[in-house]
Amino acid sequence: MPFEPVILFFLLGLLAALVRSDLKIPGVVYEALSIFLLLAIGLKGGVELARHDVLDLALPALVVVGVAMVIPLACFPILLRLGRLPRADAASIAAHYGSVSVVTFAVASSFLATRDVPADGYMTVFLALLELPALLVGVFLARRGQGQVQWSTLLHEVLAGKSIVLLAGGLLIGWIAGPEGIKPLDRLFFDLFKGMLAFFLLEMGLVAAGRLADLRRAGPFLVAFAVGAPVCAGLLGLLTAGMLDFSVGNAVLLATLYASASYIAAPAAMRIAVPEANPALSIGAALGITFPFNLMAGIPLYYWLAVHMNGAFS
Amino acid sequence: MPFEPVILFFLLGLLAALVRSDLKIPGVVYEALSIFLLLAIGLKGGVELARHDVLDLALPALVVVGVAMVIPLACFPILLRLGRLPRADAASIAAHYGSVSVVTFAVASSFLATRDVPADGYMTVFLALLELPALLVGVFLARRGQGQVQWSTLLHEVLAGKSIVLLAGGLLIGWIAGPEGIKPLDRLFFDLFKGMLAFFLLEMGLVAAGRLADLRRAGPFLVAFAVGAPVCAGLLGLLTAGMLDFSVGNAVLLATLYASASYIAAPAAMRIAVPEANPALSIGAALGITFPFNLMAGIPLYYWLAVHMNGAFS
Amino acid sequence: MPFEPVILFFLLGLLAALVRSDLKIPGVVYEALSIFLLLAIGLKGGVELARHDVLDLALPALVVVGVAMVIPLACFPILLRLGRLPRADAASIAAHYGSVSVVTFAVASSFLATRDVPADGYMTVFLALLELPALLVGVFLARRGQGQVQWSTLLHEVLAGKSIVLLAGGLLIGWIAGPEGIKPLDRLFFDLFKGMLAFFLLEMGLVAAGRLADLRRAGPFLVAFAVGAPVCAGLLGLLTAGMLDFSVGNAVLLATLYASASYIAAPAAMRIAVPEANPALSIGAALGITFPFNLMAGIPLYYWLAVHMNGAFS
Amino acid sequence: MSPALTSRKLVTIICEAELEALLVPELARHGARGYTLTEARGQGARGVRDGAWRASSNIRIEVLCDATVAERLVDMLQARFYADYGIVVFVVDAAVLRPGKF
Amino acid sequence: MSPALTSRKLVTIICEAELEALLVPELARHGARGYTLTEARGQGARGVRDGAWRASSNIRIEVLCDATVAERLVDMLQARFYADYGIVVFVVDAAVLRPGKF
Amino acid sequence: MSPALTSRKLVTIICEAELEALLVPELARHGARGYTLTEARGQGARGVRDGAWRASSNIRIEVLCDATVAERLVDMLQARFYADYGIVVFVVDAAVLRPGKF
Ligand SMILES: Nc1ncnc2c1ncn2[C@@H]1O[C@H](COP(=O)(O)O)[C@@H](O)[C@H]1O
Ligand SMILES: Nc1ncnc2c1ncn2[C@@H]1O[C@H](COP(=O)(O)O)[C@@H](O)[C@H]1O
Ligand SMILES: Nc1ncnc2c1ncn2[C@@H]1O[C@H](COP(=O)(O)O)[C@@H](O)[C@H]1O
Ligand code: NA
Ligand code: NA
Ligand code: NA
């Protein structure tokens, strides 16, 4: 199969919404599953981090985060000029695409595991690091010259937001407890991970279908953007990975991180920091188009490119 | 033990309700578990279906569904004449008993597994097929000569209802992904199945106890019906299974399907299509009496009969 | 590590609350997890009980429960005189400390398992037995000489309360079904136990942080009490265990039971039987101080003492 | 009442959860411009509805609207649902901002 | 008000969730013919009740009834629960269909 | 109205769930002594909010207060949140016990 079987659950969710099924997954189940996934991803990363020297990550981390800032800075003028979107909307959408999607990352990891392509656990650290900075860039773009941003509120909203707390908390617990300490928890957090991801993707399908409807009023530009942006960002990720001498697996993960658009931390942060931006546009593009695109076409594409750019990766 | 250990959880739920415990399982947990069970049953069936030629099922499916229609058609006059129930109630109850209960089916599968009696995964297809037709018969019986049924609403309600969407969706995913593709999900959907069923039965016990109270006003006829109907339908299932040259395991599952009464799809459909029917009667009988009867006495009985009708089954 | 890795999840929860994270675990998830844990602990105890002669437990049970009554009777005058608390509050807090905490017991079991220290499954029976009596003592102390207690309401509230129903129900099911009957459920109830406990402790951290805030108005006496009481009660548990010739593992569990303070059954019961007592005090002390104290310092301490009181334990 | 506020009607409907798919579309069809829904349980003439599963859950729907729409909604609900379903409706006077919205 | 509607009282009670088992039976005993309950959280004089667990959750109970029963309920709640529990009660005028039901 | 009861205002706010952290602290700052919150979903000018995830959920907040505070709250909500957020506010007259509390 060209794509991961778990994606079939996403399609089932989409389909159920399309035929207007009464299938509804309660909001609290969505909450519980997303807590589980964030924690499990953090734990897994932390356990593997224990096997590396953390300081070796400092330089690549700086490069990875620095280059990633190109994404919102490049998206913004495109959205503003080409897309003729209001400044607030352009900035908010740029922030969503500069930040990252945890579930897309999880599906990419799963895709690599199915193909026995090794990838390093410390990629989770980049996942955690990439969440925030693009949001700051987005707010800065929205407010440039118009003063009055409550930066402290915003920083608190994101840094104390559940995705950072759970990812970083999981990393830390995994790191402190180490593989031995975590072993009794493996049955829940690692063995069930893929099944839970499948279940979560079913929900995501239901949710994404609703966002597609929101997007209908937005016109073709945003749809094209929501497909073009991840492809360009994915390429940027592959180039950066080549520069940093990453393995094929790590390169695919970095490309996926760059290509993915946030739909957990970014919407919440933008709603507070740039309230005049219309969330239907940013969430509609990120979740209605880019998310399914990455799942079904993007990840296989970045993988295919990474394999064929051989020589570039160690 | 003459019955499945999981049934003890059902009894615990009943008991908790009886002593008016404050034990309450939140409604969303009920929702989440029922989604899990439907999906898992579908996936399991789909994976095993991949090993068969689907076309071979067409004829048995036709027979199984055709014969099943006898059940609501036979129940209706009995409820109407002997039971002196209003036409709407007679038709609604007939529809419940013509349709099927997914959890009863799951307990029967579990019962067979404990005794190492093989049964085919494609029986799940019959489970999915048997859900709808009896509901149509029931609505037809309720409305005969009195026109004005919104068939399209009804069909949509059932076909896009969560039980069909999840069962059929699971079948399809299992079939497409095959045993290999599904394997990473086994830990959630197959290994935990029986534990989740136990948990769900605990809830069912709490819910069933409440339905019993509803039934109290209904009088002894309905109680007798709720025990007699499954036994007769179970026999019909065994006969049909013999006719179709089923194995003992498959015969027990078909008998259980015929004998079981729906309490997910049927109540929702009848509430919309035959609103003047009193749901306390149909759900009270189906969930308060027939469900526990099948769990504790019916399934062992159909098994005993299937084994002793030897010669009949391959 | 001096403490169990699962405790790190509790600390993460505390920390999340401290930085005022938006991480919130829905109330129904808390409910579902606590049902799971109670049932799983009961089942495990029941399965192991099947290997013993239950009658052999009668005498130790009597001693264990009898001695435990010393705890509320000793706490009450201290809280009343030294703490200058109103009679109702002193009695209610005494009841909380006389009763037991299921999760503290689970962490102690987990602590022993990590260190390969054997402990007997029938200790769960004592857990179930110790829940109620101290509550009766507490109500008696609150009402002495002032008549008018609805003992039957209170008894019903506790005996039909979810913790007794699930613990005792689990014990019974485990006992009836035996290791063989339960085996298909092991994957859910035993293999996932520690992971679920970790998840639950994350929630407990969030909840406990809120209770600490409640406690702030209460002053230093109650804080000192909430650390001193478990240490004294733990010692009493070790002495009793020595008297009953318990193994080291069982001694640690008994010490933990004595040292732990109830925050499920006791608050609910006291709210009904002694409504004028301020729940912020009793829950604040039990959950805000004693619970984390036992997790992080108490259990290792009781273990250290048990090992060094060698000769005392078989 | 603050000068910014205008008088409107708040129509509250409490009914079986399974009625949602049938009832909600009727609201817009009879002039409601929005609604708010919360999950509920309760007790009435048809016994306890404890929320343990969908079939014994209630929903509570609020519609802010003008008096004409309120009357139309009440009449519609009475005509279509009162005979066969567990349903309770009541109307309260409410002061709203942005009266044009309702 | 539509001619179909009659005036009744809507009594709303907000209190600790753990009071449910104690309070709900009293409603019927004092003349209420039904009630509707939703889960809630909140804040008041006794601090934040964030709904993280049962012990810090609230419930919100509505009773439609006539003025006599409303008064009886209010008096009962004040006498039995106000001293010891976190509880808030308010009464609103509501127009209902089928007045005989309440 | 029972002699025990005093007239107050019940301010009900329905808005996006993600506004909670921003809006709730403002209530106390403008004189509210408490509030009650329930989870909700709904539909309005900004489309369906089906509660499938936090970003499409609503909350429903009730504040009992006197007329002055009610007016202050309504003005604050209008000034701070109406332009950018999905929010609906309405005010109802309510009779309360212990008027000093609100
Ligand atoms: N007097 C009442 N006050 C408040 N809610 C009521 C009242 N009567 C009925 N209800 C609600 O309406 C639902 C259906 O009512 P019924 O058809 O009388 O069983 C009940 O489950 C309650 O939630
Ligand atoms: N002024 C108020 N407006 C609305 N709800 C309130 C108010 N005061 C208290 N409550 C609710 O009543 C509960 C108990 O109030 P209290 O006893 O004051 O802490 C709170 O948790 C709130 O849900
Ligand atoms: N007419 C109305 N009646 C009741 N609730 C409404 C109404 N209009 C809007 N709402 C609620 O307010 C939320 C936001 O409204 P809106 O900004 O119009 O989309 C909706 O999701 C509904 O929950
Ligand atoms: Na990105
Ligand atoms: Na049947
Ligand atoms: Na204790």
Side-chain angles (χ1 to χ4, degrees):
Chain A
M1 231 172 307
F3 54 72
E4 261 296 290
V6 283
I7 294 174
L8 295 169
F9 289 83
F10 180 74
L11 295 178
L12 178 58
L14 274 184
L15 188 86
L18 237 143
V19 302
R20 256 170 300 149
S21 168
D22 72 343
L23 174 61
K24 256 181 217 157
I25 300 189
V28 296
V29 175
Y30 181 96
E31 280 300 306
L33 279 177
S34 70
I35 293 171
F36 172 87
L37 294 176
L38 287 163
L39 207 51
I41 290 172
L43 281 171
K44 197 175 202 162
V47 168
E48 301 204 22
L49 206 57
R51 301 204 182 101
H52 291 81
D53 190 342
V54 184
L55 284 182
D56 290 352
L57 290 181
L59 188 73
L62 221 73
V63 175
V64 160
V65 172
V67 174
M69 292 312 93
V70 172
I71 301 169
L73 290 171
C75 288
F76 179 67
I78 295 173
L79 291 156
L80 194 70
R81 307 270 150 72
L82 276 183
R84 289 159 194 261
L85 287 166
R87 161 179 288 269
D89 284 315
S92 164
I93 298 172
H96 281 70
Y97 279 82
S99 187
V100 289
S101 151
V102 176
V103 176
T104 311
F105 177 81
V107 172
S109 304
S110 185
F111 176 93
L112 293 173
T114 306
R115 279 154 192 77
D116 288 320
V117 181
D120 284 304
Y122 58 68
M123 294 302 293
T124 314
V125 177
F126 299 153
L127 167 65
L129 290 176
L130 284 172
E131 188 141 43
L132 171 65
L135 304 183
L136 302 182
V137 172
V139 176
F140 175 78
L141 292 170
R143 291 286 171 267
R144 208 166 17 144
Q146 298 163 49
Q148 203 222 12
V149 181
Q150 293 191 294
W151 290 105
S152 71
T153 311
L154 175 67
L155 272 175
H156 178 266
E157 169 72 18
V158 180
L159 288 177
K162 79 171 178 195
S163 44
I164 295 277
V165 164
L166 289 169
L167 274 178
L171 275 167
L172 219 66
I173 293 179
W175 196 48
I176 296 175
E180 276 313 297
I182 291 298
K183 191 172 274 170
L185 310 175
D186 283 8
R187 298 294 179 83
L188 179 64
F189 288 109
F190 300 162
D191 290 2
L192 297 191
F193 185 80
K194 209 157 177 180
M196 295 290 205
L197 183 62
F199 213 110
F200 193 70
L201 284 170
L202 178 65
E203 299 200 60
M204 293 298 303
L206 292 167
V207 170
R211 303 295 75 66
L212 263 177
D214 281 359
L215 202 61
R216 231 172 275 161
R217 319 172 201 167
F221 168 79
L222 202 55
V223 174
F225 175 86
V227 169
V231 172
C232 299
L235 282 173
L236 184 68
L238 290 177
L239 293 176
T240 313
M243 218 165 75
L244 290 168
D245 209 27
F246 274 16
S247 69
V248 167
N250 289 1
V252 173
L253 290 183
L254 187 62
T256 303
L257 284 175
Y258 278 17
S260 71
S262 165
Y263 59 86
I264 297 184
M270 291 303 117
R271 210 69 198 98
I272 284 177
V274 191
E276 69 274 32
N278 180 358
L281 295 182
S282 48
I283 303 182
L287 196 51
I289 310 273
T290 303
F291 179 74
F293 169 78
N294 274 327
L295 257 54
M296 283 182 284
I299 295 171
L301 174 67
Y302 315 139
Y303 175 60
W304 187 88
L305 287 171
V307 168
H308 287 78
M309 282 163 75
N310 66 345
F313 303 112
S314 56
Chain B
M1 230 171 309
F3 53 73
E4 262 295 290
V6 283
I7 295 175
L8 295 169
F9 290 82
F10 180 75
L11 295 178
L12 179 58
L14 273 184
L15 188 84
L18 238 142
V19 302
R20 257 170 298 147
S21 168
D22 72 343
L23 173 62
K24 256 182 216 158
I25 300 189
V28 296
V29 175
Y30 182 96
E31 279 301 307
L33 280 177
S34 70
I35 292 171
F36 172 87
L37 293 176
L38 288 163
L39 206 51
I41 291 172
L43 282 170
K44 196 175 203 163
V47 167
E48 301 204 23
L49 205 58
R51 302 204 181 102
H52 291 83
D53 191 341
V54 184
L55 284 182
D56 289 354
L57 290 180
L59 189 70
L62 222 73
V63 175
V64 160
V65 173
V67 174
M69 293 312 92
V70 173
I71 301 169
L73 290 171
C75 288
F76 179 67
I78 293 172
L79 291 156
L80 195 70
R81 306 272 150 72
L82 276 182
R84 287 159 196 260
L85 288 165
R87 161 179 288 269
D89 283 317
S92 164
I93 298 172
H96 281 70
Y97 280 81
S99 187
V100 289
S101 152
V102 175
V103 176
T104 312
F105 178 81
V107 172
S109 304
S110 186
F111 176 95
L112 294 173
T114 306
R115 278 155 191 77
D116 288 320
V117 181
D120 285 303
Y122 58 69
M123 293 302 293
T124 314
V125 177
F126 300 154
L127 167 65
L129 289 176
L130 284 173
E131 188 141 44
L132 172 64
L135 304 183
L136 302 182
V137 172
V139 176
F140 175 79
L141 291 171
R143 291 286 171 265
R144 207 164 19 142
Q146 299 163 49
Q148 200 223 14
V149 181
Q150 291 192 294
W151 290 105
S152 72
T153 312
L154 176 66
L155 271 175
H156 178 268
E157 168 73 17
V158 180
L159 289 178
K162 78 170 179 196
S163 43
I164 295 278
V165 164
L166 289 169
L167 273 177
L171 274 166
L172 219 66
I173 292 179
W175 196 50
I176 297 175
E180 276 314 298
I182 291 298
K183 191 173 276 170
L185 310 176
D186 283 8
R187 297 295 179 84
L188 179 63
F189 288 110
F190 300 162
D191 289 3
L192 297 190
F193 185 80
K194 209 156 176 181
M196 296 288 205
L197 183 61
F199 213 108
F200 193 70
L201 284 171
L202 178 65
E203 299 200 59
M204 293 298 304
L206 291 167
V207 170
R211 302 297 74 63
L212 261 176
D214 282 358
L215 203 62
R216 229 171 276 161
R217 319 175 200 165
F221 168 79
L222 202 55
V223 175
F225 174 86
V227 170
V231 172
C232 299
L235 282 173
L236 184 68
L238 290 176
L239 292 176
T240 312
M243 216 165 76
L244 290 167
D245 210 24
F246 274 16
S247 69
V248 167
N250 289 1
V252 173
L253 289 183
L254 186 62
T256 303
L257 284 174
Y258 278 16
S260 71
S262 165
Y263 59 86
I264 298 184
M270 289 304 117
R271 210 69 200 96
I272 285 177
V274 191
E276 70 273 32
N278 179 358
L281 295 182
S282 49
I283 303 182
L287 196 51
I289 310 271
T290 303
F291 180 73
F293 170 78
N294 274 326
L295 257 55
M296 284 181 282
I299 295 172
L301 174 68
Y302 315 139
Y303 174 61
W304 187 88
L305 287 171
V307 169
H308 287 79
M309 281 163 75
N310 67 343
F313 303 112
S314 57
Chain C
M1 228 170 312
F3 53 72
E4 260 297 289
V6 283
I7 294 175
L8 295 168
F9 290 83
F10 180 74
L11 295 177
L12 179 58
L14 273 185
L15 187 85
L18 237 143
V19 302
R20 257 169 299 146
S21 168
D22 72 342
L23 173 61
K24 256 181 216 158
I25 300 190
V28 295
V29 174
Y30 181 96
E31 279 300 306
L33 279 176
S34 69
I35 292 171
F36 171 87
L37 293 176
L38 287 163
L39 206 50
I41 290 172
L43 282 171
K44 196 174 202 164
V47 168
E48 301 204 24
L49 206 58
R51 300 202 183 102
H52 290 82
D53 191 340
V54 184
L55 284 182
D56 289 353
L57 291 180
L59 189 71
L62 222 71
V63 174
V64 160
V65 172
V67 174
M69 291 313 92
V70 172
I71 301 169
L73 291 171
C75 288
F76 179 67
I78 294 173
L79 291 157
L80 194 69
R81 306 271 149 72
L82 276 182
R84 287 158 196 262
L85 287 166
R87 161 179 289 267
D89 283 315
S92 164
I93 298 173
H96 281 71
Y97 280 81
S99 187
V100 289
S101 151
V102 176
V103 175
T104 311
F105 177 81
V107 172
S109 304
S110 187
F111 176 94
L112 294 174
T114 305
R115 278 154 191 77
D116 287 321
V117 181
D120 284 304
Y122 58 69
M123 293 303 292
T124 314
V125 177
F126 300 153
L127 167 65
L129 289 177
L130 283 172
E131 188 141 43
L132 172 65
L135 305 182
L136 302 182
V137 172
V139 175
F140 175 79
L141 292 170
R143 290 286 171 268
R144 207 165 19 142
Q146 299 163 49
Q148 203 221 13
V149 182
Q150 292 191 293
W151 290 105
S152 72
T153 312
L154 175 67
L155 271 175
H156 178 266
E157 169 71 17
V158 180
L159 288 178
K162 78 171 179 195
S163 43
I164 294 278
V165 163
L166 289 170
L167 274 178
L171 274 167
L172 219 65
I173 293 180
W175 195 50
I176 296 176
E180 276 313 298
I182 291 297
K183 191 173 274 169
L185 310 176
D186 283 8
R187 297 296 179 84
L188 179 63
F189 288 109
F190 300 162
D191 290 3
L192 298 190
F193 185 79
K194 208 157 176 182
M196 295 290 206
L197 182 61
F199 213 109
F200 193 70
L201 285 171
L202 179 64
E203 301 200 59
M204 293 298 304
L206 292 167
V207 170
R211 300 299 72 64
L212 262 176
D214 281 359
L215 202 60
R216 231 172 276 161
R217 319 174 200 167
F221 168 80
L222 202 54
V223 174
F225 175 85
V227 170
V231 172
C232 298
L235 282 173
L236 184 68
L238 290 176
L239 293 176
T240 312
M243 216 166 76
L244 290 168
D245 210 25
F246 274 16
S247 69
V248 167
N250 288 2
V252 173
L253 290 183
L254 187 61
T256 303
L257 284 175
Y258 278 16
S260 72
S262 166
Y263 59 85
I264 298 183
M270 290 303 118
R271 210 70 199 96
I272 285 178
V274 191
E276 71 274 31
N278 180 357
L281 294 182
S282 48
I283 304 182
L287 196 51
I289 310 273
T290 303
F291 180 73
F293 170 77
N294 274 326
L295 256 55
M296 284 182 281
I299 295 172
L301 173 68
Y302 314 140
Y303 175 60
W304 187 87
L305 287 171
V307 168
H308 287 78
M309 282 162 75
N310 67 344
F313 304 113
S314 56
Chain D
M1 205 166 78
S2 153
L5 297 173
T6 313
S7 177
R8 286 285 178 277
K9 295 290 180 187
L10 174 69
V11 181
T12 304
I13 306 159
I14 296 161
C15 67
E16 307 179 27
E18 286 186 344
L19 221 49
E20 181 176 346
L22 231 58
L23 191 153
V24 164
E26 296 298 326
L27 300 177
R29 218 168 286 153
H30 289 79
R33 314 265 289 273
Y35 69 90
T36 296
L37 192 155
T38 51
E39 312 287 333
R41 43 204 177 88
Q43 180 162 5
R46 287 164 201 250
V48 180
R49 301 183 60 78
D50 61 4
W53 63 330
R54 197 85 199 139
S56 73
S57 298
N58 290 340
I59 50 177
R60 183 182 183 280
I61 300 176
E62 286 174 317
V63 181
L64 275 172
C65 53
D66 62 31
T68 326
V69 172
E71 197 164 329
R72 221 183 296 152
L73 289 176
V74 166
D75 292 347
M76 177 275 288
L77 293 166
Q78 184 163 36
R80 277 221 40 190
F81 299 109
Y82 263 58
D84 294 328
Y85 296 100
I87 183 168
V88 161
V89 178
F90 58 86
V91 182
V92 165
D93 290 317
V96 302
L97 283 170
R98 296 192 296 189
K101 188 175 167 70
F102 306 106
Chain E
M1 205 167 79
S2 152
L5 297 173
T6 314
S7 177
R8 286 286 177 277
K9 295 289 179 188
L10 174 69
V11 180
T12 304
I13 305 159
I14 297 161
C15 68
E16 307 179 26
E18 286 186 344
L19 221 49
E20 182 176 345
L22 231 57
L23 191 153
V24 164
E26 297 297 326
L27 300 176
R29 218 167 287 154
H30 290 79
R33 313 265 289 270
Y35 69 90
T36 296
L37 192 156
T38 52
E39 312 286 333
R41 44 204 177 88
Q43 181 163 7
R46 287 163 200 250
V48 180
R49 301 184 60 78
D50 61 3
W53 63 331
R54 197 83 198 142
S56 74
S57 298
N58 290 340
I59 51 177
R60 182 184 185 280
I61 300 177
E62 287 174 317
V63 180
L64 276 172
C65 52
D66 61 33
T68 324
V69 171
E71 197 164 328
R72 221 183 295 154
L73 289 177
V74 167
D75 292 347
M76 177 273 289
L77 293 167
Q78 184 163 35
R80 278 222 38 190
F81 299 110
Y82 264 57
D84 295 328
Y85 297 100
I87 182 167
V88 161
V89 179
F90 58 87
V91 182
V92 165
D93 290 316
V96 302
L97 283 170
R98 295 193 295 189
K101 188 175 168 65
F102 307 105
Chain F
M1 205 165 78
S2 152
L5 297 173
T6 314
S7 178
R8 285 286 178 276
K9 296 289 179 187
L10 174 69
V11 181
T12 304
I13 306 160
I14 296 161
C15 68
E16 308 179 26
E18 286 185 345
L19 221 50
E20 182 176 346
L22 232 57
L23 191 152
V24 164
E26 298 297 327
L27 300 176
R29 218 167 286 153
H30 289 78
R33 313 264 290 272
Y35 69 90
T36 297
L37 193 156
T38 51
E39 313 286 333
R41 43 204 178 87
Q43 180 162 8
R46 287 163 201 250
V48 179
R49 301 183 59 78
D50 60 4
W53 62 331
R54 197 84 198 141
S56 73
S57 297
N58 290 340
I59 50 176
R60 181 182 186 282
I61 300 176
E62 287 174 317
V63 180
L64 274 172
C65 53
D66 62 32
T68 325
V69 171
E71 198 165 326
R72 221 183 296 154
L73 289 176
V74 166
D75 292 347
M76 177 273 290
L77 293 167
Q78 185 163 35
R80 278 221 40 188
F81 299 110
Y82 264 59
D84 295 329
Y85 296 101
I87 182 167
V88 162
V89 178
F90 58 87
V91 182
V92 166
D93 290 317
V96 301
L97 282 171
R98 297 194 292 191
K101 188 176 166 67
F102 306 105

